[in-house]
Amino acid sequence: MKLGLSIGYSGAELRLPVDKVLHAERLGFDSVWTAEAYGSDAISPLAYLAALTQRIRLGTGIMQLAARPPASAAMAAGTVDAMAGGGRVIAGLGVSGPQIVEGWYGGASRTGASATTSPSCARCSSARSPWPTRDARSRCRTAGPARSASANRS
C-alpha cells in the first residue's frame, strides 16, 4: 500500500504545512498532493517542497486545464521534476467547474475538448518530441486556457 498526503490549495493566504510534509516523508509516505483554486496554483508549492525533501513524490491534484495551455503545464511540471532530481513529479491534469473557469479565469467553460486533447499535448511537450501531425499541433493550440467570448469569435 502507498500513502499520500493531500495538502490541497491554500486559499487567500499561502500556507504550506512543511513540517507535516517532512514528517510524512520520514514516515515513508509515497507522495504529497497539491491543488489549485482561487489564487494559488498547484505547481509552485511543489517546487518549494522539492527543495526541502529528498524522495517523496510531488503530485498535482489537479492542474486545471482552463488555467494554462497544455505545453505550459508540461513545461512547469518538467522543470520542477528536473529540479527535484527526476522521477518525482506526478502531473495530474483535470477540468474544473464553470464557477472557477468562468468566474476566476473569465472564460467560457470548454471542458470536453480540453479534457481529451490536453493530456496528449502535455505528453508531447514533456517528452520534447515533435507533434505527431499538423492537426494535432493545431488541436493543442486551441486546447489551452479558456478565452473570453469575444476572443473565441475571432
Side-chain angles (χ1 to χ4, degrees):
M1 174 178 8
K2 295 181 181 180
L3 297 175
L5 173 65
S6 175
I7 60 174
Y9 65 93
S10 66
E13 186 177 325
L14 182 60
R15 291 187 182 181
L16 287 177
V18 173
D19 290 338
K20 187 182 285 189
V21 172
L22 294 174
H23 187 66
E25 183 172 53
R26 282 192 303 274
L27 290 174
F29 275 55
D30 177 67
S31 55
V32 59
W33 295 84
T34 59
E36 61 187 25
Y38 301 113
S40 63
D41 74 296
I43 200 78
S44 297
L46 294 181
Y48 184 77
L49 293 173
L52 301 175
T53 58
Q54 298 297 310
R55 58 141 211 92
I56 197 166
R57 296 192 315 156
L58 310 160
T60 59
I62 59 164
M63 283 190 284
Q64 297 174 24
L65 297 175
R68 62 190 61 79
S72 179
M75 288 176 5
T79 300
V80 172
D81 194 50
M83 291 188 306
R88 290 181 60 198
V89 171
I90 306 164
L93 302 174
V95 297
S96 186
Q99 73 277 13
I100 299 293
V101 175
E102 295 168 6
W104 188 255
Y105 301 120
S109 184
R110 306 176 299 126
T111 57
S114 294
T116 57
T117 305
S118 292
S120 61
C121 298
R123 275 192 295 277
C124 286
S125 296
S126 64
R128 292 179 173 82
S129 62
W131 302 108
T133 65
R134 175 176 282 181
D135 185 49
R137 182 173 59 239
S138 174
R139 282 194 314 271
C140 288
R141 284 192 188 121
T142 60
R147 298 184 191 129
S148 67
S150 61
N152 284 333
R153 282 187 232 129
S154 55

